[in-house]
Amino acid sequence: MTMTTPRPTRISRTTRQTGQNPASPISPISPASPAAEPPHADAAPSPIPSPVPPHGPAWRACLDLTAAMVIVGSSVAAARFVSLTLPPHLVQELRFLVAACIAVPLLYRREGGLPRLPARDCAVLFLQAAAGSLLFNVLLLAGVARLDAAAAGVVTSTTPAVMTLASLVLLRERPGPRALAGIACCVAGVLVLRLAPVPGVAGGDASGPLAASGVDGMGLLLVLGAVCCETLFLLLGRTLRTPVSPLAASTACTLFGAVQFLPLALPEAHRVTELDVTGWLLVGYYGAVITVAAYVLWFRGVTRVPAGTAGAFTAVLPVSALGFSALLLGEPVGWAHLAGVACVLCGIWYVTRR
C-alpha cells in the first residue's frame, strides 16, 4: 500500500491502537476504552475522529447507535440464512467486493487514498483481515449452520467480556471487580443456552428428556471461536505503529478480506446461478448496509456521547438478533434464549460501566 498520504492529522490513541473490523457483526469493545470501537469499518463522518465530547445532541446519537446495533443484530440472522440456503463463501466474497466498491472511493474522497505504511504494519493489517474477515466469518457461518440465530446473537454479544478476559490472560491487565462480574455473567449466558432445553432445536425438544442439552454444542464452540478471532483482530490492532485512520484501516481489511476469501469462493463460483433476486439483495445488504452503513451510524454516534454511554448500546445487539431470528426466520424463542440474553446484558453493563 503506497498511495498518496493525506495531510497529517492528529489521531487519537484509541483509533491508532485498535482499528475497526469491516467484516464482523460484532461491536468490538476494548477494556481500556469501552465503546470506542464501531461494529463495522468503512466510513466516518469526518476523515479523522474527533475526541468524544461530554455532551451533544443525545437523541440523535442514541438513534444512530441504536440503528447500528439493530443492523449488526440482523447480520447474525443473515449469516444463518446464507449458511442454509446459499453458497456461503461466494456470498462473502461478493460482499467484500461490494463493500470495497463503496469504501475505496469514499476513502479517496475523504483522505486522498491509503497512507504509506511500512511492511510491518501492512503485515499486521493482513493478519487482522485474516482473523476478523476470513476466520471470523468462516467460523460464524459454520456455527450458525448448526445453531439458531437467536443463540448465535447471544454468543457473539460476549465480545466485550472475551476481550477483557484476553487482556487479563495475554496482556496481564488487571480487570476490576465489575469486569470480572461481566465475564461471569456472559459465561452464565452461554451455559444457559447449552444446558437448558430449548424447544425446536436439536437436543432441546421440550418433549425430550430433561437431561437433553440445549442448543448444539459444536455450534456454540464455532461461534465462540469466531468471537475469539474478533478478539485477536482487536489485539493485533494495538500493535500498529503507524497512525492509521479508521476508514483507511477498514478499507485495507476489506480489500485483504476479498483476496483471502477468493480461494474459498472459487470452488463455489459455479453456484452463482443459485443467487436469485433475494440472494443478490442479500449480497448488497451485506456489503452496503452491514459492512458500511452500520459503521457510519455507529461512529457518528460515538463522537457525540461519552464512551460509557455508547458502550451500553451494544446491549441492543442480542435483542436485535433475537427479534430478527423470530420475525424473519421463524425460529422459536424459548426461555433459555431470554435467560441467556438477560445474562449477557448484565455482563455488557458490568464491562462497559465506568
Side-chain angles (χ1 to χ4, degrees), residues 95-233:
R95 167 254 188 103
F96 282 116
L97 293 176
V98 170
C101 289
I102 299 172
V104 171
L106 186 61
L107 178 66
Y108 271 88
R109 178 182 176 184
R110 292 182 180 275
E111 302 181 19
L114 291 166
R116 294 180 181 274
L117 295 175
R120 179 191 176 281
D121 284 346
C122 288
V124 169
L125 288 173
F126 185 86
L127 292 175
Q128 278 193 286
S133 299
L134 179 64
L135 293 177
F136 173 87
N137 283 286
V138 168
L139 291 173
L140 180 67
L141 288 168
V144 296
R146 308 171 63 103
L147 200 65
D148 60 276
V154 174
V155 177
T156 54
S157 303
T158 63
T159 302
V162 174
M163 184 63 184
T164 302
L165 183 60
S167 298
L168 170 65
V169 175
L170 301 178
L171 304 180
R172 298 295 189 268
E173 295 181 358
R174 291 187 176 182
R178 291 174 182 169
L180 293 176
I183 293 173
C185 288
C186 290
V187 170
V190 175
L191 289 177
V192 166
L193 289 173
R194 174 57 187 147
L195 300 178
V198 180
V201 296
D205 195 330
S207 63
L210 291 178
S213 296
V215 298
D216 184 81
M218 181 57 68
L220 276 179
L221 290 177
L222 288 168
V223 178
L224 280 173
V227 173
C228 290
C229 289
E230 176 69 10
T231 301
L232 177 60
F233 171 91

Side-chain angles (χ1 to χ4, degrees), residues 18-105:
T18 56
Q20 287 76 33
N21 186 358
S24 87
I26 296 179
S27 173
I29 298 179
S30 166
S33 181
E37 309 302 333
H40 301 276
D42 278 311
S46 59
I48 302 298
S50 58
V52 177
H55 301 286
W59 66 270
R60 185 173 299 174
C62 290
L63 287 178
D64 288 341
L65 295 172
T66 301
M69 286 294 99
V70 169
I71 293 172
V72 172
S74 75
S75 68
V76 182
R80 169 78 169 166
F81 181 82
V82 167
S83 68
L84 296 178
T85 62
L86 298 172
H89 301 137
L90 178 62
V91 169
Q92 292 298 314
E93 175 68 21
L94 295 173
R95 167 254 188 103
F96 282 116
L97 293 176
V98 170
C101 289
I102 299 172
V104 171

Side-chain angles (χ1 to χ4, degrees), residues 10 69 76 98 125 139 149 167 182 214 221 228-229 234 245-246 250 269 273 285 295 320 331 338 348:
R10 184 179 179 182
M69 286 294 99
V76 182
V98 170
L125 288 173
L139 291 173
S167 298
L221 290 177
C228 290
C229 289
L234 294 173
S245 74
S250 62
T273 54
Y285 180 78
Y295 175 83
S320 172
E331 296 179 343
L338 300 177
I348 292 173

